[in-house]
Amino acid sequence: LFPYTTLFRSKSVLDFNVKNGEVPLVGEPEPTTNPSNNTEDIYKKVESLIKDKKLEDTVSIKSDSRGVIIQLRENIIFESGKAEIIDKIKPVLNSINGLLSTLPNDVVIEGHSDNIPISNSEYKNNWQLSSSRALNVLEYFVSIKGQAHPKRFKSVACGEYQPSVPNNSDANRALNRRVNILIVANEKEAIKK
C-alpha cells in the first residue's frame, strides 16, 4: 500500500523528471563514473603506453574535440603507394591493440594521404589508397588480433582532404601521409562520425 500511495501523491508521471529530453522521463540517470569517456584520462593512458614501450619515434599523440588520436606516419607503417602493413610495425600495433582492448570506447581508424595523385595499377586515387590503409589497420586489430568487440571499430578514408599541414613541400606531404587511430571520448561524437 505504501508505494502505491506515494506514487499518486504526484500530479503525473512527468513530475518525476522534467529535464531537457536527454534523460528518461521517470527516474534520474545513473551517474557516469567511467573514466574512459574522459579525453584527459585516455590521453594519459596513451602517453604512458608510448613512454613505457619507447614509441616516441614511431607514434605521436594529440587530442581534439572527438577524443585522443594516435598518429602513425605512412613511412613507418606502409611502403610508398601500398597498403600492406610492414612487419616491423606490428609490435607497435600490438601494443596499441592491447591498450584498445582495455577501453570500452569506439575506435575510428582514419587513412590520410598527401595531395599528389597516386598512379599505380592497384589504386585509382588517394581515396582508395587511404581507405585500404585504414581498413587494413582495422582488420589487423579485429580479425588478426581478435578484438572482443569489433562493433566499436570503423575505418574512414580521408584521402588528401584533411591534411595536418599544408601540402607545399616534400616534408609536409610526408607528414600528411598517415593513419590516425582515434579513440572516441565523447559518445555524441561517435554518433556524428
Side-chain angles (χ1 to χ4, degrees):
L1 184 67
F2 179 73
Y4 178 79
T5 55
T6 304
L7 177 65
F8 287 103
R9 285 186 191 152
S10 179
K11 294 176 188 162
S12 84
V13 173
L14 296 177
D15 288 343
F16 281 104
N17 193 349
V18 182
K19 296 277 187 185
N20 59 12
E22 291 188 45
V23 295
L25 289 175
V26 179
E28 291 290 326
E30 290 292 317
T32 33
T33 56
N34 184 355
S36 297
N37 286 330
N38 181 319
T39 301
E40 187 177 326
D41 291 338
I42 296 169
Y43 191 96
K44 286 177 184 175
K45 287 179 182 181
V46 174
E47 189 175 48
S48 177
L49 172 79
I50 291 170
K51 286 179 184 171
D52 291 348
K53 300 288 183 177
K54 297 178 176 42
L55 302 177
E56 294 90 345
D57 295 335
T58 310
V59 174
S60 62
I61 177 177
K62 65 180 186 173
S63 63
D64 65 17
S65 63
R66 302 172 300 159
V68 176
I69 301 162
I70 302 169
Q71 187 171 304
L72 300 161
R73 288 187 309 281
E74 170 247 15
N75 65 337
I76 290 172
I77 194 166
F78 306 107
E79 290 180 22
S80 180
K82 298 191 179 203
E84 292 78 34
I85 297 170
I86 296 172
D87 283 338
K88 70 179 181 180
I89 196 68
K90 289 180 181 176
V92 173
L93 291 178
N94 294 344
S95 295
I96 294 168
N97 182 64
L99 174 67
L100 296 177
S101 66
T102 68
L103 300 170
N105 305 67
D106 285 349
V107 177
V108 180
I109 313 295
E110 300 175 334
H112 297 268
S113 70
D114 62 23
N115 66 344
I116 306 276
I118 188 157
S119 57
N120 69 29
S121 60
E122 199 166 351
Y123 304 105
K124 289 192 301 189
N125 54 46
N126 285 328
W127 285 109
Q128 288 185 355
L129 176 62
S130 66
S131 176
S132 290
R133 287 177 167 180
L135 188 57
N136 283 348
V137 172
L138 179 146
E139 287 180 337
Y140 185 79
F141 291 145
V142 172
S143 300
I144 295 172
K145 296 320 250 175
Q147 275 288 334
H149 302 286
K151 68 181 180 181
R152 297 185 304 129
F153 289 78
K154 319 175 191 178
S155 68
V156 175
C158 299
E160 63 199 67
Y161 298 103
Q162 293 182 18
S164 60
V165 293
N167 278 302
N168 56 9
S169 70
D170 288 343
N172 279 4
R173 282 188 286 276
L175 292 173
N176 288 329
R177 296 188 301 265
R178 67 200 190 278
V179 169
N180 288 346
I181 301 166
L182 167 64
I183 304 169
V184 179
N186 181 333
E187 259 181 59
K188 290 181 183 179
E189 290 299 327
I191 293 166
K192 286 181 188 177
K193 270 294 198 187

